[in-house]
């Protein structure tokens, strides 16, 4: 298993933005055209890109699909996309435009039958997004907090065939407060599958700490705000991860 760094490109209203703790009222626009941002990260060495359709996550409307399609077609690296994927039709649309991996989040709680079907048909092309606050799963763009514990939902998804998870600690997302390595590691151990960390990465030290537990199932990290503010430079982050793994 390889440790991969995923620069995050969050799309809202066709633009590349960042939200703080998932709050739609606390938005910063970083680029009018997300494709420019994608090209920037690829030039800096990105091996994958992580896209989130914030409009679809909130309203369910896939208004950014043309922007995502343009970006995916132009990208020389694989792209994973999440946000509002709640039925097979949307899933097939994203895979049909060339998306390499689709992230399913809220539907894991709301529509488990759809997730079971998606995993049986598309397997490794699916990642399950688990967003948590205080160990409990949050859904619908983090607007709703369930009573389901993250490890519990992860094990259920594994029984359906899930191989890859993306774990976000909401309390740290967009806060540059440091990654919750222990929570990521605990989830990987609980489900026995690959877990990608998301939220809170603020320094090369965070990258090193995550890369050190790669052998325990931590398969990478999604980096957002730290890249956009310049707190972390992608080439240095890639180098730090490679050094930990002895490459």
């Amino acid at each position: 298993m390889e440790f991969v760094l995923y620069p995050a490109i969050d799309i809202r209203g066709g633009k590349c933005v960042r939200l703080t703790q998932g709050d739609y009222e606390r938005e910063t626009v970083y680029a009018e055209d997300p494709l420019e941002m994608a090209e920037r990260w690829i030039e800096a060495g990105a091996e994958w890109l992580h896209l989130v359709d914030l409009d679809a996550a909130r309203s369910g409307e896939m208004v950014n699909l043309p922007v995502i399609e343009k970006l995916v077609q132009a990208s020389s690296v694989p792209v994973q996309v999440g946000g509002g994927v709640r039925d097979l039709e949307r899933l097939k649309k994203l895979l049909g435009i060339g998306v390499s991996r689709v992230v399913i989040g809220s539907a894991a709680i709301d529509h488990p039958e759809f997730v079971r079907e998606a995993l049986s048909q598309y397997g490794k092309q699916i990642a399950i997004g688990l967003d948590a606050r205080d160990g409990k799963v949050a859904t619908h763009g983090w607007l709703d907090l369930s009573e389901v514990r993250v490890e519990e939902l992860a094990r259920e998804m594994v029984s359906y065939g899930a191989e890859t998870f993306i774990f976000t600690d909401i309390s740290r997302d967009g806060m540059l407060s440091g990654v919750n390595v222990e929570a990521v590691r605990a989830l990987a151990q609980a489900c026995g599958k690959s877990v990608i960390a998301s939220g809170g990465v603020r320094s090369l030290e965070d990258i090193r700490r995550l890369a050190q537990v790669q052998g325990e199932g931590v398969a990478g990290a999604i980096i957002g705000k730290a890249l956009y503010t310049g707190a972390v430079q992608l080439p240095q982050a890639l180098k730090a991860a490679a050094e930990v793994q002895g490459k």
Side-chain angles (χ1 to χ4, degrees), residues 7-232:
I9 299 174
D10 291 1
I11 301 173
R12 186 179 182 203
K15 299 175 182 178
C16 174
V17 306
R18 295 298 297 163
L19 305 182
T20 299
Q21 289 188 301
D23 186 342
Y24 284 74
E25 301 304 315
R26 297 159 77 190
E27 174 189 274
T28 306
V29 177
Y30 282 102
E32 294 292 319
D33 183 357
L35 182 55
E36 282 175 32
M37 207 49 82
E39 288 167 349
R40 178 177 159 187
W41 300 138
I42 292 167
E43 278 175 28
E47 296 170 344
W48 271 82
L49 295 174
H50 174 78
L51 262 62
V52 180
D53 184 339
L54 292 171
D55 292 301
R58 191 178 199 185
S59 68
E61 298 298 314
M62 296 182 80
V63 291
N64 295 308
L65 195 63
V67 178
I68 293 170
E69 181 171 12
K70 182 181 157 195
L71 192 155
V72 169
Q73 306 275 311
S75 174
S76 57
V77 302
V79 180
Q80 69 181 12
V81 177
V85 183
R86 292 168 198 152
D87 56 52
L88 279 173
E89 186 190 349
R90 292 174 198 213
L91 173 59
K92 287 175 180 172
K93 267 185 190 169
L94 289 168
L95 293 174
I97 61 171
V99 171
S100 296
R101 190 190 288 147
V102 175
V103 184
I104 299 174
S106 303
I109 292 253
D110 297 341
H111 308 292
E113 284 310 309
F114 151 59
V115 183
R116 191 195 292 259
E117 181 67 22
L119 285 165
S120 72
Q121 282 193 43
Y122 300 104
K124 288 189 163 69
Q125 287 178 284
I126 306 291
I128 303 297
L130 299 176
D131 304 334
R133 184 178 274 123
D134 301 324
K136 292 180 179 175
V137 178
T139 60
H140 303 104
W142 303 345
L143 300 175
D144 301 323
L145 191 64
S146 74
E147 284 303 308
V148 181
R149 296 205 65 78
V150 177
E151 290 86 355
E152 187 186 319
L153 184 59
R155 281 191 282 261
E156 185 184 339
M157 293 299 116
V158 168
S159 75
Y160 294 172
E163 293 286 335
T164 306
F165 293 90
I166 295 172
F167 173 70
T168 306
D169 181 347
I170 298 170
S171 66
R172 299 185 184 221
D173 188 74
M175 300 300 288
L176 296 177
S177 58
V179 75
N180 191 341
V181 177
E182 285 314 309
V184 180
R185 186 186 196 174
L187 180 61
Q189 289 173 339
C191 70
K193 299 296 179 182
S194 298
V195 178
I196 299 164
S198 172
V201 173
R202 65 176 173 186
S203 65
L204 294 180
E205 186 52 33
D206 285 324
I207 303 294
R208 291 188 190 100
R209 289 173 62 217
L210 287 166
Q212 280 164 359
V213 290
Q214 180 239 350
E216 296 176 55
V218 179
I222 293 165
I223 317 179
K225 195 167 186 178
L227 287 179
Y228 288 89
T229 60
V232 169

